[in-house]
Amino acid sequence: MKRTLSPIIWLGLICVLSLSLHASTVIAQETEPAQTLAPLGTGFTYQGELQDGNGLVTASCDFQFKLWDAASAGGQVGTTQTVNNVSVSQGQFSVLLNEGAQFGGSAFTGDARWLELAVRCPAGSGTFTALTPRQPLAATPYALYSQSSSWNGLADIPAGFADGEDDDTTYTAGTGLALANGTFSVQSVPWTSLSAIPAGFSDNVDDDT
């Protein structure tokens, strides 16, 4: 039975804001310490549409996902991620991928990527059927902007970099080095500046060889 996949790609950030409102009489209020924000993970949401010979699928299915660096052949990026018991309703499904960095924490560094899927329905039965072709992963417009964002568009720039140059860092040449016009060079080191000199050299003459 041949299955085709019509993907809808959402590669970006999902923020969920949950608010709770309680009415009460305030007698005393203490200032709570600022909460530490949770670090952003590596996961992203993939939504797709699954069809078979009878049309849109409604079932519980298992999926396998592989990330590649080419539309065909090429090399696999990271490891294969299996997501079991995915609810598919009228062909629609949604999964969270790479939340455990299965594709690698640096899988998305600006290079093109393709996602290869395999599926078996119902879940837990039979073997996986590969779906072709691989699906290209597209970035959102603002994610593309981040690759070429201007210095003026950045926030919280350290004061030493406000003029666009790292001119607040100073360097000092240590013993045996010289610094001129930002370039270090090696100089001759006086014998008296060396430490842990072997006994046979303490008289400045190699007469023990």
Side-chain angles (χ1 to χ4, degrees), residues 61-182:
C61 303
D62 298 331
F63 287 85
Q64 286 185 338
F65 299 88
K66 297 180 181 180
L67 191 66
W68 295 84
D69 60 6
S72 61
Q76 184 176 353
V77 180
T79 60
T80 301
Q81 182 176 356
T82 300
V83 184
N84 294 320
N85 298 314
V86 177
S87 177
V88 182
S89 178
Q90 293 298 310
Q92 303 297 311
F93 69 92
S94 177
V95 293
L96 180 62
L97 301 180
N98 200 43
E99 77 279 11
Q102 291 89 343
F103 301 149
S106 58
F108 303 101
T109 56
D111 297 324
R113 295 288 184 258
W114 284 261
L115 199 62
E116 179 179 294
L117 287 78
V119 62
R120 64 182 179 186
C121 297
S125 66
T127 59
F128 284 91
T129 299
L131 306 176
T132 56
R134 295 174 185 170
Q135 303 301 316
L137 295 181
T140 60
Y142 278 106
L144 292 175
Y145 169 76
S146 67
Q147 291 184 328
S148 58
S149 56
S150 63
W151 186 268
N152 294 331
L154 300 179
D156 299 325
I157 301 174
F161 291 89
D163 57 358
E165 295 182 6
D166 180 13
D167 51 9
D168 298 323
T169 302
T170 59
Y171 301 91
T172 302
T175 303
L177 295 176
L179 175 61
N181 299 322

